[in-house]
Amino acid sequence: MGYFKLGKMTLKSLFKKPETLRYPYETRPSVDDLKGHIENDIIECTLCGICAKRCPTGCIEVDKAAESWTIDPFDCIQCRTCVRECPQNCLTMMPDYRKPATSKVVSITTKPEPTEEEKAEMARKEEERAARIKAAMEAKAAREKAKQEAADKAE
Ligand code: SF4
Ligand code: SF4
């Protein structure tokens, strides 16, 4: 009886559409909340390095000097720690798998060169910051001077 059932199943499967897909040529629609791969919105990233410090497999590298953020997708275990810990919310767990590769390559994202408007905006902010620091220092010096004059009068 067992052999009969098995034979029937085998015959059926010969004419049935296969259950498996020829990935990556064919893919299924991704399910909600699929742990696919990590992507960084580098424009928002401040290169603070928190994600690299928290990643349990050490697969993220942040190079402030080169303004680059690197991930080794082959070492990533899709735990989402980096996504949770990023203070800028610029990391996303994409709900699809990365394309298969024939060699182990890392993915490097580099900050784009700022545009002329962005450069002007950065210069303006830097000027504002310098002015705020100068004003705070002047106010502190004035407070200390007033304190000293009050102490001299009291003597
Ligand atoms: S934690 Fe976020 S902001 Fe900081 S380096 Fe990582 S991705 Fe960039
Ligand atoms: S998902 Fe986990 S393992 Fe992958 S990069 Fe983020 S912290 Fe590291």
Side-chain angles (χ1 to χ4, degrees):
M1 187 64 175
Y3 287 118
F4 177 71
K5 258 192 179 174
L6 191 64
K8 207 171 137 190
M9 271 169 60
T10 312
L11 269 176
K12 252 190 186 173
S13 64
L14 279 177
F15 301 102
K16 223 173 66 180
K17 197 173 173 263
E19 295 292 337
T20 51
L21 291 182
R22 292 173 60 242
Y23 184 82
Y25 307 108
E26 296 170 51
T27 50
R28 284 203 170 94
S30 53
V31 294
D32 283 349
D33 220 24
L34 177 83
K35 286 181 168 182
H37 71 277
I38 296 289
E39 275 191 16
N40 186 1
D41 178 1
I42 196 72
I43 305 286
E44 296 301 319
C45 174
T46 56
L47 300 168
C48 66
I50 290 177
C51 53
K53 282 188 196 125
R54 302 283 196 279
C55 175
T57 64
C59 66
I60 298 177
E61 264 179 43
V62 178
D63 188 337
K64 257 190 178 283
E67 298 205 313
S68 68
W69 184 92
T70 306
I71 185 166
D72 182 344
F74 296 91
D75 281 350
C76 174
I77 54 169
Q78 281 91 9
C79 66
R80 272 208 187 102
T81 303
C82 55
V83 177
R84 278 196 308 272
E85 299 286 326
C86 174
Q88 293 296 111
N89 283 329
C90 60
L91 292 175
T92 310
M93 178 66 78
M94 302 302 286
D96 54 349
Y97 298 116
R98 291 177 65 84
K99 286 206 167 71
T102 51
S103 58
K104 204 178 168 191
V105 281
V106 296
S107 164
I108 304 172
T109 318
T110 314
K111 278 215 175 261
E113 267 294 305
T115 60
E116 288 307 314
E117 290 92 50
E118 284 167 342
K119 279 185 194 164
E121 180 65 10
M122 283 191 296
R124 190 187 62 76
K125 281 187 180 164
E126 190 50 42
E127 265 175 33
E128 272 181 16
R129 196 178 76 91
R132 278 203 309 275
I133 292 172
K134 194 176 166 213
M137 284 171 76
E138 282 170 359
K140 188 181 170 196
R143 276 198 308 275
E144 276 169 7
K145 194 178 166 200
K147 212 167 142 189
Q148 188 60 48
E149 280 172 0
D152 290 346
K153 269 187 196 163
E155 279 175 11

